[in-house]
Amino acid sequence: MDEIRVSKVEQGQTKIRNVPIAVTPEGFWCCPAPVVFQKTLKPQNGPNKPKSSSPPPKPNVQKKQIPVTEKKPTIAPIRSAVTSDDQRCFTPDDPGVGAPIAPERPPRPKVEHVPRKVAIEFGEPGTSDMKVILLGKQGYCVKLSVHKKVLLENSSFFTEKISQQEPGLSCLEIDDCKDAEIFIETVGLMYCKEMKQRLIKLSVTRVLHILKVAELLGFNSCIVSCLEYLEAVPWVDKEEEEKVVSSVLRLQGEGIRVAPVLKRISSDVSNSPSDTISHIMELVLKSNEERSRREMKSIVLKLLRENNSLPSYADSADVFSETVYMSCRNCLDSLLSLFKQAVEPESTDKPMDTKDPVVKQIALEADNLSWLLEILADRQAADEFARIWATQQELATLHSKLPIVSRYHVSNITARLFVGIGKGELLPVKDTRQLLLQTWLQPLINDYSWLQHGCRSFDRKVVEEGIGRTILTLPLEDQQSILLAWLGSFLKAGDNCPNLQRAFEVWWRRTFIRPYADIQVNVLQSDSSMTSKP
C-alpha cells in the first residue's frame, strides 16, 4: 500500500456482504489467518464446477463458522445484504450486524460476477460509530466498523481525514488498498492493550508489513512496538536482515528512535577494521587446537575474499597487507628457531616422544605461513612473500638436516608459490623466480613423496604444472640448467619426483627447433644496427 487515497462514500455506492467476526474479551477483533481470509474472499463455486439441477440445500454449512459462545447471524444472501448494508452504512446508531437469512435463496450468479465483499466489526458489537471502506485492485471490498475515538487517539492519518470531513459523515473510503489483510490487522492493533504480546506471535516479514502500514497511518505506538520487536527477535538470514535494515532506515529521518535496531549492524566504536581483523588473525595463528584452527582459517579466508570485492576496503588494502606481512615475519622467525632447536646434537639423541612437540610446532608454523600466503595471493600482494621466502637460505640449509617427517610441511609453502607463479596470481621479478628455484626446488623434490601422502591439500598435477611454468619464465640457459638437474633426479626417483616432462618438451623445442634461433639472430642484428646509428 504505497499510497492511501480517501474519498467520500455516497449512498448506494458500495455493496458489502457481512461476515461474522470473532471478538476477544478485551474487545479486539482476531484477524484470521491469511488462508482463512483468502477463502472468505473467494467465490463459493469453482470455475469448472457444474450447476446442480436439484434445489439448493438448506444453508446449514454456515453454522460451522460460528463459535458456540457467539450468537452471530449467518452470511446473508447478496441481494438482501445490499439493501440492508446501504441503509446501515449511514445510520449513526447502526450496530453493524447482518440481517437474518432469507428463507428463499435466489439463483446463484455466475462465478465471474460474484462480488468479493466482507464486513468486519471492531470492539463491542453494535458500538461502532464510523465505517472505513477498503477497495482493492483485485476487486474485493472490505467494510470496517470502527470507533472514531480510537482512530483519533492512534492515527494522525485518520485524524487529518476526519477533520476534513463534512459534519455528519461517518464513512471514509480508501482506494487501491494493496494488502487489506495487513491494513485490517494494523487497525485491529489500535484496540489491543498489549501490543507486544500480539506481535510476538508473528513472523518478521509480517511485522515489517505492519510497520509499513503503521507508518502510513501515523500509528506511532505501533511503530515503536514493531521496532522493539525487531530489536529483540533474531533475523534468520541475510535477505531478512536486509529487509529489516531498509525498513528501519526509512524511518530514520522521521524523529523515530531506530538506533537500538541499527546497533545490531553498526558500532559507535571507532576501532579500525584492520585492527580487529589483525586481532582475529593473531588468535587463529596462536591456536593449538587443530580442528577448530583449520575451520576458522577456512572461514576467515572466505570472509576476507568477500571483503576484497568491496570498494570500501580498497583504501585499507596496503595497511592490511602490512599487517599480514608482520605476521609472516613472526612465523618465519619462529620456524627458524624451531629448525635450529631440532638440529641441535642433544635434540637428535632424544627419544621420539620428546621430539613430538617440536615437530608439531614446525607443522603448525608451516601451516600458518601457507594460510598467510593464501590471503596475500587473494589480494594480489604475494610478490614480496616470494622474495622473502627465496632469501631463506639458512632455513633451506637446516631443512636438509632434519628428518623428512619433521620438515615436509615446509615444502608445501614452496609448492604453493610455484602454483601461484604458474597461474599468474603473483608476478615476482626474474631474480626472485631464479633464486626461489635455486633455493627451494631441490628440498621440494626431496620431500615430494611425503607431500603426496601427508598433505591433504596437495595436488600433484597442479604443483607439477606450476613448477614447470615457473622454470619456463626464466632465460633459456637457466631453463636448461634446472631441467637437466631435474632429469637426473627424475630418472632415479621416478614417481617420488615431480614429473616436469611438459616443461622439458617446451624447453626442447625452444632449444633445438630452428625458427627460434633465427628469431634471436634477427633481434640481435636489429639491436646492433640501432646502436650503431649516430
Side-chain angles (χ1 to χ4, degrees):
M1 189 176 64
D2 297 333
E3 181 182 357
I4 298 177
R5 295 201 302 273
V6 179
S7 60
K8 298 178 183 177
V9 178
E10 302 295 339
Q11 187 169 358
Q13 178 182 351
T14 308
K15 301 178 182 180
I16 303 174
R17 179 163 57 93
N18 283 342
V19 174
I21 301 297
V23 180
T24 64
E26 64 176 357
F28 171 54
W29 167 76
C30 296
C31 183
V35 177
V36 177
F37 188 79
Q38 292 167 6
K39 286 183 178 179
T40 305
L41 296 179
K42 287 182 179 179
Q44 295 179 358
N45 262 359
N48 299 324
K49 186 176 180 181
K51 294 183 179 180
S52 175
S53 58
S54 60
K58 294 182 179 181
N60 54 358
V61 180
Q62 306 294 340
K63 296 180 181 179
K64 296 181 180 179
Q65 300 179 359
I66 306 175
V68 178
T69 57
E70 302 271 351
K71 289 188 177 180
K72 294 280 184 177
T74 52
I75 300 177
I78 294 173
R79 288 184 179 179
S80 60
V82 166
T83 305
S84 60
D85 205 308
D86 290 342
Q87 294 173 354
R88 287 197 308 273
C89 183
F90 297 93
T91 304
D93 299 328
D94 173 60
V97 180
I101 296 180
E104 294 184 2
R105 189 172 184 178
R108 180 173 296 175
K110 292 184 178 180
V111 173
E112 59 269 17
H113 297 140
V114 174
R116 299 191 292 174
K117 301 177 181 179
V118 181
I120 297 172
E121 184 174 5
F122 291 94
E124 294 296 331
T127 62
S128 63
D129 58 358
M130 188 171 182
K131 302 292 185 288
V132 176
I133 310 294
L134 306 180
L135 300 176
K137 292 182 178 180
Q138 295 82 4
Y140 62 76
C141 177
V142 182
K143 182 189 74 173
L144 308 180
S145 298
V146 294
H147 300 77
K148 184 180 295 185
K149 179 181 177 182
V150 176
L151 299 185
L152 293 174
E153 290 176 350
N154 292 280
S155 170
S156 61
F157 170 81
F158 282 122
T159 299
E160 180 184 353
K161 298 306 176 184
I162 292 173
S163 65
Q164 295 173 357
Q165 273 191 326
E166 297 179 8
L169 289 179
S170 59
C171 280
L172 288 175
E173 185 177 289
I174 298 178
D175 300 328
D176 297 335
C177 183
K178 293 183 179 180
D179 198 336
E181 182 185 346
I182 298 298
F183 189 98
I184 294 166
E185 186 162 11
T186 307
V187 173
L189 289 172
M190 298 181 185
Y191 290 80
C192 185
K193 296 178 181 178
E194 296 293 337
M195 203 178 302
K196 182 178 180 181
Q197 298 301 320
R198 176 72 182 175
L199 293 176
I200 202 171
K201 302 175 183 178
L202 306 179
S203 66
V204 172
T205 301
R206 193 168 184 88
V207 170
L208 290 176
H209 291 322
I210 293 174
L211 176 63
K212 185 176 182 180
V213 176
E215 181 188 356
L216 292 171
L217 295 181
F219 187 7
N220 289 335
S221 60
C222 180
I223 293 175
V224 172
S225 295
C226 289
L227 291 175
E228 290 176 352
Y229 167 91
L230 294 171
E231 189 276 331
V233 72
W235 304 336
V236 176
D237 51 25
K238 183 179 179 181
E239 181 179 357
E240 188 169 88
E241 177 177 318
E242 291 175 352
K243 290 180 180 179
V244 172
V245 173
S246 61
S247 299
V248 173
L249 287 175
R250 191 176 62 245
L251 300 169
Q252 197 169 16
E254 301 182 10
I256 299 172
R257 190 167 177 265
V258 298
V261 181
L262 296 178
K263 277 188 175 181
R264 190 183 294 191
I265 60 165
S266 62
S267 174
D268 297 333
V269 182
S270 59
N271 286 346
S272 171
S274 297
D275 294 340
T276 305
I277 295 175
S278 176
H279 180 61
I280 293 171
M281 292 177 58
E282 183 180 359
L283 292 174
V284 174
L285 291 170
K286 290 183 177 180
S287 172
N288 290 318
E289 210 291 315
E290 182 178 357
R291 181 174 179 180
S292 59
R293 184 182 68 251
R294 185 172 62 251
E295 290 179 357
M296 286 310 302
K297 282 182 176 179
S298 176
I299 291 172
V300 172
L301 183 61
K302 181 188 73 172
L303 295 175
L304 286 174
R305 284 171 176 166
E306 292 179 4
N307 288 359
N308 292 343
S309 61
L310 299 177
S312 58
Y313 285 86
D315 297 336
S316 60
D318 294 339
V319 177
F320 178 70
S321 296
E322 182 58 35
T323 302
V324 177
Y325 272 113
M326 189 178 300
S327 299
C328 290
R329 295 184 186 96
N330 293 335
C331 290
L332 276 171
D333 292 342
S334 177
L335 188 62
L336 182 60
S337 176
L338 290 168
F339 267 42
K340 291 178 179 179
Q341 183 180 344
V343 298
E344 289 178 356
E346 55 270 18
S347 175
T348 55
D349 297 335
K350 292 180 181 179
M352 193 62 189
D353 55 348
T354 59
K355 295 181 183 179
D356 283 346
V358 176
V359 174
K360 289 181 179 179
Q361 198 64 28
I362 290 175
L364 173 61
E365 294 297 348
D367 185 65
N368 287 341
L369 281 168
S370 296
W371 182 56
L372 294 171
L373 172 58
E374 202 70 42
I375 293 173
L376 292 169
D378 285 337
R379 302 177 69 87
Q380 292 84 45
D383 293 1
E384 179 64 15
F385 188 99
R387 187 195 67 79
I388 294 173
W389 189 249
T391 58
Q392 298 298 311
Q393 283 85 3
E394 184 179 6
L395 191 66
T397 302
L398 294 173
H399 180 276
S400 61
K401 299 178 181 180
L402 265 65
I404 296 180
V405 67
S406 304
R407 74 192 189 199
Y408 74 95
H409 292 284
V410 176
S411 292
N412 200 33
I413 302 170
T414 305
R416 179 62 183 91
L417 282 170
F418 286 141
V419 170
I421 296 172
K423 290 182 176 181
E425 296 174 344
L426 56 154
L427 303 172
V429 296
K430 183 197 72 173
D431 292 342
T432 298
R433 301 193 304 271
Q434 198 172 38
L435 186 60
L436 181 66
L437 287 162
Q438 291 175 358
T439 306
W440 287 108
L441 179 58
Q442 191 57 48
L444 174 62
I445 293 174
N446 296 338
D447 296 345
Y448 204 71
S449 176
W450 278 78
L451 285 170
Q452 294 179 70
H453 302 96
C455 291
R456 65 181 69 188
S457 61
F458 189 83
D459 188 329
R460 174 170 182 162
K461 291 184 178 180
V462 174
V463 172
E464 289 172 353
E465 186 171 1
I467 297 172
R469 289 183 175 182
T470 303
I471 294 172
L472 294 174
T473 63
L474 299 179
L476 196 60
E477 295 81 3
D478 296 321
Q479 296 177 35
Q480 177 173 325
S481 62
I482 293 173
L483 286 172
L484 290 180
W486 159 81
L487 182 60
S489 300
F490 181 72
L491 293 174
K492 292 178 182 178
D495 288 340
N496 293 328
C497 179
N499 190 336
L500 307 180
Q501 292 183 26
R502 294 180 64 179
F504 186 82
E505 291 175 7
V506 173
W507 164 78
W508 179 282
R509 295 189 184 99
R510 290 176 177 178
T511 302
F512 298 109
I513 296 180
R514 189 69 181 173
Y516 286 104
D518 294 338
I519 291 173
Q520 185 178 12
V521 171
N522 293 335
V523 170
L524 293 174
Q525 291 176 351
S526 176
D527 291 342
S528 61
S529 62
M530 291 180 64
T531 55
S532 61
K533 289 182 180 180

